[in-house]
Amino acid sequence: MNFITNLIGGLSLGGIYAMIALGYTMVYGIAKMLNFAHGDIIMVGGYTILVFTARSVHPIIAIILSVIFCVALGISVEKVAYKPLRGSSPLAVLITAIGVSYLLQSLAQMIFGSGTKMVQGLDLGSFSIGSLKIGVSTVVTLIACFMVMIALNLFVKYTRIGRAMVAVSEDKGAAQLMGINVNFIIMITFAIGSALAALAGTFYLMRSPSMYSTFGSLPGIKAFAAAVIGGIGSIPGAMLGGILLGVVEVFAGASVLGPYTDAIEFAILIVILLVKPTGFLGKKRREKV
Amino acid sequence: MALLEVKNLEVYYGVIQAIKGISFEVNKGEIVTLIGANGAGKTTTMQSIIGLIHARSGEITYNGQLISGMPAHKIVHLGMTQVPEGRRIFSELTVYENLMMGAYTKKDKEKIKENLDEIYALFPRLEERKNQVAGTLSGGEQQMLAMGRAMMSNPDLLMLDEPSMGLSPLLVDQVFDIIKHFHEKGTTILLVEQNANKSLAISDRAYVLENGRIVLSGTGAELLASEEIKKAYLGG
């Protein structure tokens, strides 16, 4: 019975990681950069929910506002910090992303203080099937994550903008020759990634409702590991990697290895990188000259 | 009136000057060829026209409209497109999806369908393999796909950058036949080629590029007969 509870919990946590990992992987695939400020978008989303629920705004509305705010933030960060660096060395962009990450964390500390704050109104209770006790939020997370992933796949496969995203990720120059506005596609990618981060932040808060300025760091770095395990740049890879890490985390946490959960997750990353450096579904790309 | 006019174009890569002030024009309905050796600046010229790289100075006008400095995706919307050097098809997309990417600027579904049928009629191989991932096509098929993809946007001006590169003689002939076919349909053609013989034979006019300068120009027939050209490009 414990097995089923853990499996549902693991898939649900994995869904959260997968949603964050999608943000990393899509931005990498399309803008060819590692957005290390992505985890902090989750944190900003969490604080947005905190601000509104503390003013007795209905949680659903707070979640919608948090998504809107994160999308606006993601687009602004891209415009202000990353776009001017387009075409410069990847290292410059990487350092800038780390800078944005610290900037957002410091701003959060200045505004909300360094203490932990509790978010109210996201506890949905739990239900029992026989001797099985399952949190409602776990099931909601699981269903929502899978719906989002299916929607994203359909979007990429069947819409004009989705197809343009694939084209840009493969060959920016050739995509421009098709009449695709690459800057617009990159903006859309940041918007989608940030919306997913805001949703992931919400679901993460449902598991543990405490907010602090480095709230997004651990899920962010784990999701990054998940994206690399699945093959960075690959959308199905991010989903696979995220779910794998989530399931491993919950099962390891429930076993005697509990205290070493994080170590086990990152050990998986190291092993995968040793055995298959491109990740499960990653492709070896020829660098064009 | 000139459909495309290039005036005093100068392009730099860092401190190295690749194009040293060239001027030429392409009139509506013509086939114009730029020939030249490796490193002469042919591809650089083509990429500057379409907006993939930006010139330091000079003017490019298309249909009387100044396009130098415009981003590539906007220039493509004006009705010109390019089959780039090395084909650059989307290897992870299927043949059909590649062709549909070519119609990205088009909204009219019926017109797109019509274009698609036309491309399939011209390249039956592409129809046979429409659901195949483009990366698995042979080199010749990829060149056909790149040309078909470009024609999906129904351009007034089609630019082709070394379309015969790396193809067998039989396929080279086929590529030139298709260029002639597009031309007969009313498309103006700007061609960049190393195969001077074949390209001059189908050209109305041609320019010879050397180290970023135009050193010779004339009608296709004139250049084919020229001693200099024979020595440099036609092997005696």
Side-chain angles (χ1 to χ4, degrees):
Chain A
M1 278 306 148
N2 243 348
F3 176 80
I4 296 176
T5 322
N6 284 343
L7 186 66
I8 294 174
L11 288 175
S12 153
L13 179 63
I16 297 176
Y17 288 157
M19 278 169 82
I20 307 169
L22 283 169
Y24 278 109
T25 224
M26 286 169 72
V27 165
Y28 180 82
I30 286 161
K32 299 284 177 284
M33 67 163 287
L34 294 173
N35 179 16
F36 273 119
H38 190 58
D40 301 290
I41 302 280
I42 305 170
M43 175 270 294
V44 173
Y47 272 117
T48 314
I49 290 177
L50 174 79
V51 166
F52 286 110
T53 50
R55 281 164 185 70
S56 337
V57 173
H58 191 277
I60 300 279
I61 296 174
I63 292 169
I64 294 170
L65 289 170
S66 139
V67 169
I68 293 172
F69 188 67
C70 285
V71 166
L73 178 69
I75 291 175
S76 317
V77 165
E78 196 274 320
K79 276 248 144 44
V80 174
Y82 304 149
K83 197 178 166 196
L85 291 173
R86 202 103 79 223
S88 57
S89 96
L91 207 55
V93 187
L94 188 71
I95 302 282
T96 306
I98 293 172
V100 170
S101 166
Y102 281 116
L103 175 73
L104 292 176
Q105 287 179 18
S106 306
L107 281 175
Q109 275 194 20
M110 286 165 67
I111 298 169
F112 298 100
S114 54
T116 300
K117 291 196 158 55
M118 301 306 280
V119 179
Q120 312 293 330
L122 291 179
D123 189 3
L124 302 177
S126 61
F127 64 95
S128 304
I129 306 170
S131 61
L132 222 62
K133 190 163 176 267
I134 300 168
V136 174
S137 60
T138 311
V139 178
V140 169
T141 302
L142 188 62
I143 294 171
C145 289
F146 280 96
M147 275 166 51
V148 164
M149 283 187 248
I150 291 168
L152 186 69
N153 270 320
L154 293 177
F155 176 79
V156 170
K157 188 97 186 112
Y158 294 110
T159 66
R160 201 171 115 90
I161 292 178
R163 302 276 72 197
M165 289 169 90
V166 178
V168 172
S169 83
E170 197 173 329
D171 188 334
K172 240 185 238 181
Q176 282 173 287
L177 291 181
M178 303 298 113
I180 295 168
N181 182 345
V182 170
N183 282 332
F184 174 72
I185 296 298
I186 291 177
M187 189 189 89
I188 295 286
T189 307
F190 271 85
I192 293 174
S194 304
L196 293 177
L199 285 176
T202 308
F203 295 132
Y204 208 71
L205 272 181
M206 286 179 174
R207 301 175 67 89
S208 62
S210 42
M211 265 316 300
Y212 42 94
S213 63
T214 54
F215 173 78
S217 301
L218 194 59
I221 199 76
K222 281 186 183 167
F224 175 62
V228 174
I229 288 172
I232 193 137
S234 156
I235 289 178
M239 296 176 183
L240 188 70
I243 287 164
L244 175 77
L245 274 198
V247 170
V248 166
E249 179 169 333
V250 169
F251 275 96
S255 73
V256 288
L257 294 169
Y260 303 106
T261 306
D262 291 350
I264 292 169
E265 286 170 70
F266 292 114
I268 292 177
L269 172 67
I270 294 170
V271 171
I272 298 277
L273 284 179
L274 285 174
V275 178
K276 201 166 183 304
T278 53
F280 284 132
L281 302 177
K283 274 174 281 284
K284 235 189 223 142
R285 275 181 189 278
R286 278 178 301 122
E287 286 299 322
K288 291 204 179 72
V289 278
Chain B
M1 194 192 89
L3 183 63
L4 178 78
E5 198 169 4
V6 176
K7 257 192 245 159
N8 303 320
L9 185 73
E10 290 190 33
V11 185
Y12 286 76
Y13 291 112
V15 292
I16 297 164
Q17 187 171 15
I19 302 293
K20 297 164 182 162
I22 64 172
S23 302
F24 65 94
E25 77 274 330
V26 180
N27 297 312
K28 210 167 167 34
E30 278 187 319
I31 299 185
V32 173
T33 301
L34 303 178
I35 58 174
N38 279 332
K42 304 182 304 283
T43 296
T44 305
T45 306
M46 294 289 260
Q47 293 193 338
S48 312
I49 294 170
I50 200 81
L52 281 179
I53 49 181
H54 291 294
R56 180 167 301 182
S57 65
E59 270 185 9
I60 303 169
T61 51
Y62 178 70
N63 252 336
Q65 186 182 351
L66 188 70
I67 59 166
S68 28
M70 267 169 81
H73 68 91
K74 282 199 179 142
I75 295 178
V76 170
H77 276 264
L78 297 177
M80 70 159 97
T81 192
Q82 197 169 106
V83 179
E85 189 182 12
R87 297 146 202 157
R88 291 169 75 171
I89 52 154
F90 300 112
S91 58
E92 287 164 38
L93 300 182
T94 64
V95 168
Y96 170 77
E97 288 170 333
N98 264 280
L99 291 172
M100 292 313 280
M101 286 312 306
Y104 187 80
T105 53
K106 299 288 167 214
K107 299 259 154 62
D108 182 353
K109 286 224 166 76
E110 268 173 38
K111 184 76 192 147
I112 293 174
K113 177 84 183 55
E114 206 176 286
N115 281 345
L116 186 68
D117 289 340
E118 221 170 289
I119 299 295
Y120 280 157
L122 202 56
F123 305 110
R125 278 303 268 268
L126 295 185
E127 184 165 25
E128 280 166 36
R129 306 191 167 200
K130 62 183 171 189
N131 294 320
Q132 197 171 319
V133 175
T136 62
L137 297 180
S138 73
E141 288 163 349
Q142 289 190 9
Q143 185 60 49
M144 303 303 161
L145 179 57
M147 291 167 76
R149 184 181 66 176
M151 285 308 284
M152 283 298 288
S153 70
N154 236 346
D156 298 319
L157 173 64
L158 176 68
M159 295 186 270
L160 301 108
D161 195 347
E162 306 233 8
S164 76
M165 190 167 61
L167 298 182
S168 70
L170 204 67
L171 283 168
V172 171
D173 287 344
Q174 211 182 331
V175 163
F176 280 100
D177 284 345
I178 285 156
I179 294 171
K180 272 192 277 184
H181 174 83
F182 289 155
H183 178 241
E184 279 156 19
K185 275 183 53 198
T187 314
T188 306
I189 309 270
L190 175 60
L191 181 64
V192 152
E193 259 302 336
Q194 288 205 37
N195 190 332
N197 224 342
K198 288 229 182 318
S199 53
L200 289 177
I202 64 163
S203 297
D204 295 303
R205 291 185 306 110
Y207 297 86
V208 180
L209 228 60
E210 234 176 74
N211 293 321
R213 285 197 179 87
I214 288 176
V215 293
L216 211 63
S217 65
T219 65
E222 277 167 13
L223 291 185
L224 262 182
S226 134
E227 283 304 316
E228 272 173 85
I229 294 288
K230 274 189 192 153
K231 262 200 210 121
Y233 300 102
L234 303 177

